[in-house]
Amino acid sequence: MKIKSLAAAVFMLCTLFSGIDSARAEWNASSPVSVISREDGSGTRGAFVELFGVLGEIKGKKADLTTLDAQITNSTSVMMTTVAGDAYGIGYISLGALNDKVKAVKINGAEPSIENIQNGSYTVSRPFNIAAAPNTDNAVALDFIAFILSPKGQEVVKAGGYIPVAEQKEFSSAKPEGKAVVGGSSSVSPIMEKLAEAYKTVNPNAKLELQVTDSTTGMISALNGNYDIGLASRELKAKEIEQGLKPVVIATDGIAVIVNKNNPVENLTNEQVREIYLGNAKTWDEVSK
Amino acid sequence: MIRQAWNEKIMQGVFFVAACTSVLAVAFICIFLFHNGTLALSEIGIWDFLSGTVWRPNIEIFGIFPMIVGSVYITAGAVLTGVPIGIFTAVFMAFYCPKKLYRPLKASTDILAGIPSVVYGFFGLVVIVPLIRDLGQFLGMGGNGNNILTASILLGIMILPTVISVTEASLRAVPSLYYEGAAALGATHEQCIFKVVVPAAKSGILAAAVLGMGRAVGETMAVIMVAGNQARIPSDIFQGVRTLTANVVIEMGYAADLHRDALIATGVVLFAFILIINLFLAYLSRSK
């Protein structure tokens, strides 16, 4: 009796799973696009909607009109895992985080790469900003900022997969002693870590402490003096500049639009991406129409 | 003699202070939440905030009704999947389990309770999401697997330890006379358990379900990773949903000004949910 019921249960599970498995069929262009977006207020999302024009007017105010049907995540890793597993998914991430588990599509025929961003053919990019605490006299912090903007610092930026700034100033360290606290955006932190390491070889007297939080915390903490240097992966808000923060661009980061590897789509136009994120193109054959 | 009395007094004071910590913590959290939350509530309007179906913080439209619906759906889903399994497990452990099997079973439910929720979330994202995605496509419902069903299953697993341990304790608290009496009247093992002992432990089992509910409402990390987090009212269980907790965590890092206050007000609503659940629990234990 027991064995029979057990066998029946196993059999049912097997048929269920094999049935499900056969559903995992070939690419079907009439399937709905699963749109994945970052959360409201994220630096990556802000730059993305601005660059693709996923904007509109509601009650006379300029608004981010990303479709409410879009799945929302607050992490790059969840975004990539979801797109890697979902044949009909589309998302966007920092170019520096791109790997071969997902496919980055060309935008208007240009491949997302450092060269294409520099020569202007790939236009989806955003600045990484830092801001020193207003009127700071922390010699280490000021010296470190000068280092970041020097050719040596910008070499580190380039090696990290980001686009260096055009205007670089020669610099030799005054080797001040002391400590500086650097903190903010988790998107900027990886490159900041490498910069801090490189700075240590230039000025072994200084101690840099890196705290990973987010853009807004970075700016607030720079304002109230908890951080000597705050990091932001977005443009500074008018209010933050009003309160005395001066943004300094230290690098440019590309944003890659990613799809599943089984997706035959190789190229999307600005307009197509916009239609997808506005929720107007709901299936993949509507997109390529 | 006198010194001993002093010592006792001092230690009494220490214990009193220790006992006050949790009361003070609750009091401070209440003050903080309601002070900051009411600011946003008065600016947005309580009714607009609670019943508004559109959440677009960048143009200052704050309606959390979709998130309330989301929390209710996912909690109900977790109770539906987790509570029956938990109760049956507890019945098995209390009455059917061979001695050899008991220890590993008990140990594994304890471990289940100790796994960090972000690990559950990652497990859900990598294992359950693809299964549900395939199931959805098989049934023609579509969706990409990050939906109410996935979150309910995952949360159902997460509340198992709470449900099992509380149910088992309440089953064991039923005097053995009940079982023996039923058996003496000629009832079978199954009849004794399901017709006599389980009904006798009713209020304890209900308390287990409510405790599990509390855990499900408050869960954040795992839900964020598998629920899809769309801030709109879903039309079926293969659509994603955003819970109150997810709303706070996802946007807190970037929020400023009124947006930030609105998130704290979301916390107030969540707090009210938990209070209601706790009051219900207190009512249950009193009516026992």
Side-chain angles (χ1 to χ4, degrees), chain B residues 56-81:
Chain B
R56 285 204 183 270
N58 51 22
I59 46 167
E60 310 213 320
I61 299 179
F62 302 100
I64 62 162
F65 190 65
M67 277 66 99
I68 295 177
V69 170
S71 276
V72 170
Y73 277 5
I74 285 190
T75 307
V79 169
L80 282 179
T81 51

PDB file of all heavy atoms in Angstrom, chain B residues 56-81:
ATOM      1  N   ARG B  56       4.571  56.765  -7.656  1.00  0.00           N
ATOM      2  CA  ARG B  56       5.619  57.340  -8.502  1.00  0.00           C
ATOM      3  C   ARG B  56       6.339  58.417  -7.706  1.00  0.00           C
ATOM      4  O   ARG B  56       6.042  59.599  -7.818  1.00  0.00           O
ATOM      5  CB  ARG B  56       5.018  57.928  -9.779  1.00  0.00           C
ATOM      6  CG  ARG B  56       4.590  56.876 -10.804  1.00  0.00           C
ATOM      7  CD  ARG B  56       4.554  57.458 -12.201  1.00  0.00           C
ATOM      8  NE  ARG B  56       4.081  56.497 -13.185  1.00  0.00           N
ATOM      9  CZ  ARG B  56       4.890  55.663 -13.843  1.00  0.00           C
ATOM     10  NH1 ARG B  56       6.180  55.677 -13.597  1.00  0.00           N
ATOM     11  NH2 ARG B  56       4.407  54.827 -14.735  1.00  0.00           N
ATOM     12  N   PRO B  57       7.313  57.999  -6.898  1.00  0.00           N
ATOM     13  CA  PRO B  57       7.948  58.945  -5.983  1.00  0.00           C
ATOM     14  C   PRO B  57       8.614  60.126  -6.695  1.00  0.00           C
ATOM     15  O   PRO B  57       8.658  61.214  -6.140  1.00  0.00           O
ATOM     16  CB  PRO B  57       8.977  58.099  -5.238  1.00  0.00           C
ATOM     17  CG  PRO B  57       9.040  56.808  -5.946  1.00  0.00           C
ATOM     18  CD  PRO B  57       7.792  56.633  -6.716  1.00  0.00           C
ATOM     19  N   ASN B  58       9.084  59.930  -7.949  1.00  0.00           N
ATOM     20  CA  ASN B  58       9.813  61.034  -8.574  1.00  0.00           C
ATOM     21  C   ASN B  58       8.916  62.206  -8.965  1.00  0.00           C
ATOM     22  O   ASN B  58       9.400  63.290  -9.231  1.00  0.00           O
ATOM     23  CB  ASN B  58      10.640  60.540  -9.759  1.00  0.00           C
ATOM     24  CG  ASN B  58       9.808  59.724 -10.715  1.00  0.00           C
ATOM     25  OD1 ASN B  58       8.586  59.856 -10.737  1.00  0.00           O
ATOM     26  ND2 ASN B  58      10.444  58.878 -11.500  1.00  0.00           N
ATOM     27  N   ILE B  59       7.597  61.962  -9.007  1.00  0.00           N
ATOM     28  CA  ILE B  59       6.716  63.115  -9.178  1.00  0.00           C
ATOM     29  C   ILE B  59       5.793  63.259  -7.976  1.00  0.00           C
ATOM     30  O   ILE B  59       4.720  63.855  -8.053  1.00  0.00           O
ATOM     31  CB  ILE B  59       5.885  63.012 -10.474  1.00  0.00           C
ATOM     32  CG1 ILE B  59       5.287  61.609 -10.598  1.00  0.00           C
ATOM     33  CG2 ILE B  59       6.688  63.363 -11.692  1.00  0.00           C
ATOM     34  CD1 ILE B  59       4.231  61.530 -11.657  1.00  0.00           C
ATOM     35  N   GLU B  60       6.250  62.675  -6.860  1.00  0.00           N
ATOM     36  CA  GLU B  60       5.554  62.840  -5.582  1.00  0.00           C
ATOM     37  C   GLU B  60       4.112  62.345  -5.600  1.00  0.00           C
ATOM     38  O   GLU B  60       3.212  63.013  -5.097  1.00  0.00           O
ATOM     39  CB  GLU B  60       5.621  64.301  -5.127  1.00  0.00           C
ATOM     40  CG  GLU B  60       7.043  64.841  -5.174  1.00  0.00           C
ATOM     41  CD  GLU B  60       7.330  65.849  -4.089  1.00  0.00           C
ATOM     42  OE1 GLU B  60       6.453  66.669  -3.816  1.00  0.00           O
ATOM     43  OE2 GLU B  60       8.446  65.805  -3.526  1.00  0.00           O
ATOM     44  N   ILE B  61       3.886  61.192  -6.224  1.00  0.00           N
ATOM     45  CA  ILE B  61       2.599  60.523  -6.049  1.00  0.00           C
ATOM     46  C   ILE B  61       2.866  59.299  -5.189  1.00  0.00           C
ATOM     47  O   ILE B  61       3.612  58.400  -5.578  1.00  0.00           O
ATOM     48  CB  ILE B  61       1.992  60.097  -7.399  1.00  0.00           C
ATOM     49  CG1 ILE B  61       1.742  61.326  -8.263  1.00  0.00           C
ATOM     50  CG2 ILE B  61       0.680  59.347  -7.165  1.00  0.00           C
ATOM     51  CD1 ILE B  61       1.158  61.009  -9.617  1.00  0.00           C
ATOM     52  N   PHE B  62       2.317  59.290  -3.995  1.00  0.00           N
ATOM     53  CA  PHE B  62       2.591  58.207  -3.059  1.00  0.00           C
ATOM     54  C   PHE B  62       1.309  57.484  -2.691  1.00  0.00           C
ATOM     55  O   PHE B  62       0.546  57.966  -1.859  1.00  0.00           O
ATOM     56  CB  PHE B  62       3.246  58.756  -1.793  1.00  0.00           C
ATOM     57  CG  PHE B  62       4.522  59.504  -2.033  1.00  0.00           C
ATOM     58  CD1 PHE B  62       4.540  60.884  -2.069  1.00  0.00           C
ATOM     59  CD2 PHE B  62       5.714  58.821  -2.218  1.00  0.00           C
ATOM     60  CE1 PHE B  62       5.720  61.581  -2.284  1.00  0.00           C
ATOM     61  CE2 PHE B  62       6.887  59.510  -2.436  1.00  0.00           C
ATOM     62  CZ  PHE B  62       6.906  60.887  -2.475  1.00  0.00           C
ATOM     63  N   GLY B  63       1.044  56.363  -3.316  1.00  0.00           N
ATOM     64  CA  GLY B  63      -0.096  55.546  -2.923  1.00  0.00           C
ATOM     65  C   GLY B  63       0.396  54.150  -2.614  1.00  0.00           C
ATOM     66  O   GLY B  63       1.005  53.508  -3.465  1.00  0.00           O
ATOM     67  N   ILE B  64       0.163  53.655  -1.398  1.00  0.00           N
ATOM     68  CA  ILE B  64       0.757  52.358  -1.051  1.00  0.00           C
ATOM     69  C   ILE B  64      -0.252  51.220  -1.083  1.00  0.00           C
ATOM     70  O   ILE B  64       0.046  50.122  -0.631  1.00  0.00           O
ATOM     71  CB  ILE B  64       1.465  52.376   0.319  1.00  0.00           C
ATOM     72  CG1 ILE B  64       0.478  52.695   1.437  1.00  0.00           C
ATOM     73  CG2 ILE B  64       2.633  53.322   0.321  1.00  0.00           C
ATOM     74  CD1 ILE B  64       1.044  52.301   2.790  1.00  0.00           C
ATOM     75  N   PHE B  65      -1.438  51.453  -1.640  1.00  0.00           N
ATOM     76  CA  PHE B  65      -2.412  50.371  -1.673  1.00  0.00           C
ATOM     77  C   PHE B  65      -1.870  49.112  -2.376  1.00  0.00           C
ATOM     78  O   PHE B  65      -2.064  48.002  -1.865  1.00  0.00           O
ATOM     79  CB  PHE B  65      -3.717  50.838  -2.324  1.00  0.00           C
ATOM     80  CG  PHE B  65      -4.826  49.850  -2.177  1.00  0.00           C
ATOM     81  CD1 PHE B  65      -5.333  49.541  -0.926  1.00  0.00           C
ATOM     82  CD2 PHE B  65      -5.351  49.192  -3.278  1.00  0.00           C
ATOM     83  CE1 PHE B  65      -6.347  48.615  -0.771  1.00  0.00           C
ATOM     84  CE2 PHE B  65      -6.367  48.258  -3.139  1.00  0.00           C
ATOM     85  CZ  PHE B  65      -6.867  47.970  -1.879  1.00  0.00           C
ATOM     86  N   PRO B  66      -1.153  49.242  -3.508  1.00  0.00           N
ATOM     87  CA  PRO B  66      -0.595  48.029  -4.137  1.00  0.00           C
ATOM     88  C   PRO B  66       0.323  47.254  -3.197  1.00  0.00           C
ATOM     89  O   PRO B  66       0.345  46.026  -3.212  1.00  0.00           O
ATOM     90  CB  PRO B  66       0.193  48.570  -5.331  1.00  0.00           C
ATOM     91  CG  PRO B  66      -0.373  49.909  -5.602  1.00  0.00           C
ATOM     92  CD  PRO B  66      -0.854  50.450  -4.299  1.00  0.00           C
ATOM     93  N   MET B  67       1.079  47.984  -2.363  1.00  0.00           N
ATOM     94  CA  MET B  67       2.002  47.308  -1.452  1.00  0.00           C
ATOM     95  C   MET B  67       1.255  46.613  -0.317  1.00  0.00           C
ATOM     96  O   MET B  67       1.655  45.547   0.145  1.00  0.00           O
ATOM     97  CB  MET B  67       3.013  48.306  -0.889  1.00  0.00           C
ATOM     98  CG  MET B  67       4.189  48.563  -1.794  1.00  0.00           C
ATOM     99  SD  MET B  67       3.728  49.388  -3.325  1.00  0.00           S
ATOM    100  CE  MET B  67       4.137  51.062  -2.940  1.00  0.00           C
ATOM    101  N   ILE B  68       0.162  47.234   0.146  1.00  0.00           N
ATOM    102  CA  ILE B  68      -0.651  46.582   1.177  1.00  0.00           C
ATOM    103  C   ILE B  68      -1.230  45.287   0.611  1.00  0.00           C
ATOM    104  O   ILE B  68      -1.146  44.219   1.230  1.00  0.00           O
ATOM    105  CB  ILE B  68      -1.781  47.521   1.655  1.00  0.00           C
ATOM    106  CG1 ILE B  68      -1.183  48.745   2.342  1.00  0.00           C
ATOM    107  CG2 ILE B  68      -2.723  46.798   2.601  1.00  0.00           C
ATOM    108  CD1 ILE B  68      -2.200  49.785   2.783  1.00  0.00           C
ATOM    109  N   VAL B  69      -1.770  45.381  -0.606  1.00  0.00           N
ATOM    110  CA  VAL B  69      -2.302  44.189  -1.266  1.00  0.00           C
ATOM    111  C   VAL B  69      -1.197  43.142  -1.402  1.00  0.00           C
ATOM    112  O   VAL B  69      -1.398  41.958  -1.123  1.00  0.00           O
ATOM    113  CB  VAL B  69      -2.870  44.552  -2.658  1.00  0.00           C
ATOM    114  CG1 VAL B  69      -3.203  43.304  -3.449  1.00  0.00           C
ATOM    115  CG2 VAL B  69      -4.096  45.420  -2.501  1.00  0.00           C
ATOM    116  N   GLY B  70      -0.010  43.589  -1.801  1.00  0.00           N
ATOM    117  CA  GLY B  70       1.115  42.669  -1.986  1.00  0.00           C
ATOM    118  C   GLY B  70       1.457  41.932  -0.710  1.00  0.00           C
ATOM    119  O   GLY B  70       1.612  40.712  -0.708  1.00  0.00           O
ATOM    120  N   SER B  71       1.565  42.668   0.391  1.00  0.00           N
ATOM    121  CA  SER B  71       1.894  42.031   1.664  1.00  0.00           C
ATOM    122  C   SER B  71       0.814  41.026   2.058  1.00  0.00           C
ATOM    123  O   SER B  71       1.122  39.930   2.523  1.00  0.00           O
ATOM    124  CB  SER B  71       2.052  43.089   2.769  1.00  0.00           C
ATOM    125  OG  SER B  71       3.346  43.623   2.732  1.00  0.00           O
ATOM    126  N   VAL B  72      -0.446  41.408   1.858  1.00  0.00           N
ATOM    127  CA  VAL B  72      -1.544  40.509   2.234  1.00  0.00           C
ATOM    128  C   VAL B  72      -1.508  39.235   1.380  1.00  0.00           C
ATOM    129  O   VAL B  72      -1.578  38.116   1.905  1.00  0.00           O
ATOM    130  CB  VAL B  72      -2.906  41.232   2.086  1.00  0.00           C
ATOM    131  CG1 VAL B  72      -4.054  40.249   2.239  1.00  0.00           C
ATOM    132  CG2 VAL B  72      -3.024  42.338   3.114  1.00  0.00           C
ATOM    133  N   TYR B  73      -1.344  39.390   0.067  1.00  0.00           N
ATOM    134  CA  TYR B  73      -1.309  38.231  -0.830  1.00  0.00           C
ATOM    135  C   TYR B  73      -0.183  37.272  -0.462  1.00  0.00           C
ATOM    136  O   TYR B  73      -0.378  36.065  -0.344  1.00  0.00           O
ATOM    137  CB  TYR B  73      -1.105  38.693  -2.283  1.00  0.00           C
ATOM    138  CG  TYR B  73      -2.359  39.132  -2.996  1.00  0.00           C
ATOM    139  CD1 TYR B  73      -3.575  39.199  -2.329  1.00  0.00           C
ATOM    140  CD2 TYR B  73      -2.322  39.478  -4.336  1.00  0.00           C
ATOM    141  CE1 TYR B  73      -4.716  39.618  -2.980  1.00  0.00           C
ATOM    142  CE2 TYR B  73      -3.468  39.897  -5.007  1.00  0.00           C
ATOM    143  CZ  TYR B  73      -4.662  39.964  -4.319  1.00  0.00           C
ATOM    144  OH  TYR B  73      -5.785  40.371  -4.967  1.00  0.00           O
ATOM    145  N   ILE B  74       0.999  37.843  -0.301  1.00  0.00           N
ATOM    146  CA  ILE B  74       2.158  36.976  -0.083  1.00  0.00           C
ATOM    147  C   ILE B  74       2.074  36.296   1.280  1.00  0.00           C
ATOM    148  O   ILE B  74       2.411  35.121   1.431  1.00  0.00           O
ATOM    149  CB  ILE B  74       3.457  37.782  -0.256  1.00  0.00           C
ATOM    150  CG1 ILE B  74       3.663  38.016  -1.747  1.00  0.00           C
ATOM    151  CG2 ILE B  74       4.637  37.072   0.349  1.00  0.00           C
ATOM    152  CD1 ILE B  74       4.981  38.584  -2.106  1.00  0.00           C
ATOM    153  N   THR B  75       1.573  37.038   2.284  1.00  0.00           N
ATOM    154  CA  THR B  75       1.418  36.425   3.606  1.00  0.00           C
ATOM    155  C   THR B  75       0.387  35.304   3.548  1.00  0.00           C
ATOM    156  O   THR B  75       0.610  34.211   4.082  1.00  0.00           O
ATOM    157  CB  THR B  75       0.990  37.489   4.631  1.00  0.00           C
ATOM    158  OG1 THR B  75       1.914  38.567   4.568  1.00  0.00           O
ATOM    159  CG2 THR B  75       0.990  36.921   6.014  1.00  0.00           C
ATOM    160  N   ALA B  76      -0.732  35.579   2.872  1.00  0.00           N
ATOM    161  CA  ALA B  76      -1.759  34.540   2.745  1.00  0.00           C
ATOM    162  C   ALA B  76      -1.185  33.328   2.011  1.00  0.00           C
ATOM    163  O   ALA B  76      -1.397  32.185   2.426  1.00  0.00           O
ATOM    164  CB  ALA B  76      -2.964  35.095   1.992  1.00  0.00           C
ATOM    165  N   GLY B  77      -0.429  33.588   0.953  1.00  0.00           N
ATOM    166  CA  GLY B  77       0.179  32.492   0.197  1.00  0.00           C
ATOM    167  C   GLY B  77       1.120  31.673   1.061  1.00  0.00           C
ATOM    168  O   GLY B  77       1.131  30.436   1.000  1.00  0.00           O
ATOM    169  N   ALA B  78       1.917  32.371   1.880  1.00  0.00           N
ATOM    170  CA  ALA B  78       2.855  31.667   2.750  1.00  0.00           C
ATOM    171  C   ALA B  78       2.116  30.824   3.768  1.00  0.00           C
ATOM    172  O   ALA B  78       2.503  29.681   4.050  1.00  0.00           O
ATOM    173  CB  ALA B  78       3.755  32.685   3.456  1.00  0.00           C
ATOM    174  N   VAL B  79       1.025  31.349   4.310  1.00  0.00           N
ATOM    175  CA  VAL B  79       0.241  30.588   5.283  1.00  0.00           C
ATOM    176  C   VAL B  79      -0.382  29.365   4.605  1.00  0.00           C
ATOM    177  O   VAL B  79      -0.364  28.261   5.149  1.00  0.00           O
ATOM    178  CB  VAL B  79      -0.846  31.492   5.926  1.00  0.00           C
ATOM    179  CG1 VAL B  79      -1.837  30.673   6.727  1.00  0.00           C
ATOM    180  CG2 VAL B  79      -0.186  32.536   6.815  1.00  0.00           C
ATOM    181  N   LEU B  80      -0.888  29.562   3.385  1.00  0.00           N
ATOM    182  CA  LEU B  80      -1.508  28.441   2.666  1.00  0.00           C
ATOM    183  C   LEU B  80      -0.513  27.336   2.366  1.00  0.00           C
ATOM    184  O   LEU B  80      -0.830  26.155   2.458  1.00  0.00           O
ATOM    185  CB  LEU B  80      -2.130  28.932   1.353  1.00  0.00           C
ATOM    186  CG  LEU B  80      -3.477  29.631   1.477  1.00  0.00           C
ATOM    187  CD1 LEU B  80      -3.958  30.094   0.119  1.00  0.00           C
ATOM    188  CD2 LEU B  80      -4.496  28.685   2.107  1.00  0.00           C
ATOM    189  N   THR B  81       0.722  27.694   1.986  1.00  0.00           N
ATOM    190  CA  THR B  81       1.698  26.655   1.665  1.00  0.00           C
ATOM    191  C   THR B  81       2.404  26.136   2.911  1.00  0.00           C
ATOM    192  O   THR B  81       2.631  24.940   3.041  1.00  0.00           O
ATOM    193  CB  THR B  81       2.767  27.158   0.673  1.00  0.00           C
ATOM    194  OG1 THR B  81       3.297  28.386   1.160  1.00  0.00           O
ATOM    195  CG2 THR B  81       2.219  27.355  -0.707  1.00  0.00           C
TER     196      THR B  81
END
